[in-house]
Amino acid sequence: MIRLHVTPDLSPAAAVAPTLDQSRYLTQVMRLKLGDALLVFNGRDGEWRATIAEVLKKGVILKLEEQVRPQTLGPDLDLIVAVVKKSRVETIVEKAAELGARRVRLAVTRRTNVEHVRLDRLDAIAIEAAEQTGRLDVPAIEDPQKLDALLDDWEPGRRLMFCDETGGAPVASAITEPGPWAILIGPEGGFAPEERDRLRALPFTAAVSLGPRILRADTAAIAAMTLWQAAVGDWKH
């Protein structure tokens, strides 16, 4: 069944108006008609069965029928990734949503080749991935921030899985405790020596290796999230 992410609050018998683009998608792409059913969620109120109650010239109106799943959240995992090429950032955001990251934080490192980042485009990619994968929330995408500033303002209690291309412990042995985590993926040119030294000296950091090959940023992000999920994430349940 089609799933749609909406922004209004969801409650029994409520009427919800999707955006014009969403309405066109439902009626022109998916060919839904009056009375057809779909699922909607907003990241706060669970998932609801809805039907198309009205078809207007400029959109549709949905009527909520019943809640089919209560609100749940996935693992408390941030993905921190240095800004890379547009297509690779988009892939990273899509796969982060599919693999259960709660938040994607874009970082600017000393070797980052900063390009313009369209957060609206990345938000749309995250929403579409959440709709397709069945998750009940959408990962937040944050503005690029300098790595040093991000570390200076680090959240107490959150561990950091630092993926170091120069070597580290195997993920299976280094990541054994559940709880709030973040994964850090560097730029295509790698971390500067001073960045690596600082990261390894932090008390909340676990430096890990992703294997004997140098991976591109998008491949590294997918591999790291997969290994983390298998070690301490919701794949274990």
Side-chain angles (χ1 to χ4, degrees), residues 78 80 103 105 142 145-158 198 202 204:
D78 289 355
I80 305 170
R103 181 169 55 166
R105 308 180 71 178
E142 295 196 352
Q145 185 180 13
K146 288 186 177 181
L147 178 61
D148 285 335
L150 190 152
L151 295 174
D152 288 342
D153 194 33
W154 193 257
E155 176 188 350
R158 184 174 298 276
R198 182 183 182 189
L202 294 170
F204 51 81

Side-chain angles (χ1 to χ4, degrees), residues 73-79 92-104 129 133 135 137-139 225-226 228-229 233-235:
L73 294 174
D76 191 354
L77 174 65
D78 289 355
L79 175 66
I92 289 168
V93 168
E94 178 184 67
K95 301 313 174 186
E98 292 179 7
L99 288 165
R102 192 174 296 185
R103 181 169 55 166
V104 178
T133 57
R135 63 183 291 173
D137 61 331
V138 176
M225 285 186 289
T226 299
W228 185 92
Q229 280 281 27
D234 58 9
W235 289 10

Side-chain angles (χ1 to χ4, degrees), residues 92-154:
I92 289 168
V93 168
E94 178 184 67
K95 301 313 174 186
E98 292 179 7
L99 288 165
R102 192 174 296 185
R103 181 169 55 166
V104 178
R105 308 180 71 178
L106 301 175
V108 178
T109 69
R110 285 167 174 76
R111 294 177 178 173
T112 297
N113 295 318
V114 180
E115 297 181 6
H116 177 65
V117 177
R118 283 189 54 189
L119 288 182
D120 59 337
R121 168 66 178 162
L122 297 181
D123 284 337
I125 290 170
I127 289 171
E128 183 177 350
E131 291 172 341
Q132 292 177 348
T133 57
R135 63 183 291 173
L136 295 178
D137 61 331
V138 176
I141 315 297
E142 295 196 352
D143 286 310
Q145 185 180 13
K146 288 186 177 181
L147 178 61
D148 285 335
L150 190 152
L151 295 174
D152 288 342
D153 194 33
W154 193 257

Side-chain angles (χ1 to χ4, degrees), residues 23-97:
S23 296
R24 288 172 176 165
Y25 168 75
L26 294 175
T27 59
Q28 298 178 20
V29 178
M30 303 309 298
R31 304 294 184 183
L32 296 189
K33 298 179 175 59
L34 195 68
D36 285 346
L38 66 152
L39 298 172
V40 297
F41 67 104
N42 62 5
R44 305 182 303 275
D45 302 317
E47 185 173 65
W48 290 72
R49 182 179 181 275
T51 56
I52 297 182
E54 296 182 65
V55 179
L56 310 172
K57 289 184 177 180
K58 292 187 177 181
V60 301
I61 302 297
L62 306 177
K63 181 181 179 182
L64 300 187
E65 303 290 345
E66 61 176 344
Q67 188 186 64
V68 295
R69 284 196 292 166
Q71 185 65 42
T72 58
L73 294 174
D76 191 354
L77 174 65
D78 289 355
L79 175 66
I80 305 170
V81 60
V83 179
V84 290
K85 295 178 181 178
K86 173 186 173 184
S87 62
R88 297 192 184 280
V89 169
E90 292 181 353
T91 297
I92 289 168
V93 168
E94 178 184 67
K95 301 313 174 186

